[in-house]
Amino acid sequence: MQILISNNATKPIYEQIVTQIKNAIMSGELKCGDSLPSMRMLAKDLHISVITTQKAYEELQRAGFIESAAGKGTFVSSPNKEFILEEQMRLAEEKLQEVADIGRTNGIQLDKLCEILTMFYEGE
């Protein structure tokens, strides 16, 4: 797994790390039991502070995405299906908010947006 950070992004670096690791887990790129680099190694690879990687790993651990075992390392946790579904719902809501904003701003009728969503959802 490769993590790319941008100093020009609006998100703090630790959030960029969290988002990319979450996405890798959600997409199946990282699987249950896969090892993650140590905080020090990740910090060195990304040329950032260990404190930043620590903050990212702590957030991922709190959210249940990773587990740390003293002396063994950090690993991807067993998937919590309810949590993953909730995370996917949150992402869908963000996208739908964007669609609603575009529709409202440009005078696209709600029924037309629903028709388009239905078409995409049903794969027509």
Side-chain angles (χ1 to χ4, degrees), residues 69-83:
K72 293 185 179 180
T74 303
F75 304 90
V76 176
S77 297
S78 299
N80 177 336
K81 296 204 184 297
E82 284 182 35
F83 182 78

Side-chain angles (χ1 to χ4, degrees), residues 6-60:
S6 170
N7 292 323
N8 298 329
T10 56
K11 278 186 173 182
I13 292 172
Y14 84 93
E15 282 185 26
Q16 293 176 51
I17 296 167
V18 168
T19 300
Q20 290 180 52
I21 292 175
K22 275 185 183 180
N23 290 342
I25 293 169
M26 303 283 278
S27 72
E29 180 184 346
L30 288 175
K31 300 187 183 343
C32 176
D34 283 354
S35 178
L36 294 176
S38 71
M39 286 183 254
R40 290 175 199 244
M41 183 61 71
L42 184 60
K44 182 180 175 190
D45 289 347
L46 298 177
H47 305 287
I48 59 174
S49 164
V50 173
I51 294 170
T52 302
T53 57
Q54 180 181 10
K55 189 171 182 178
Y57 276 26
E58 285 173 353
E59 186 167 320
L60 287 163

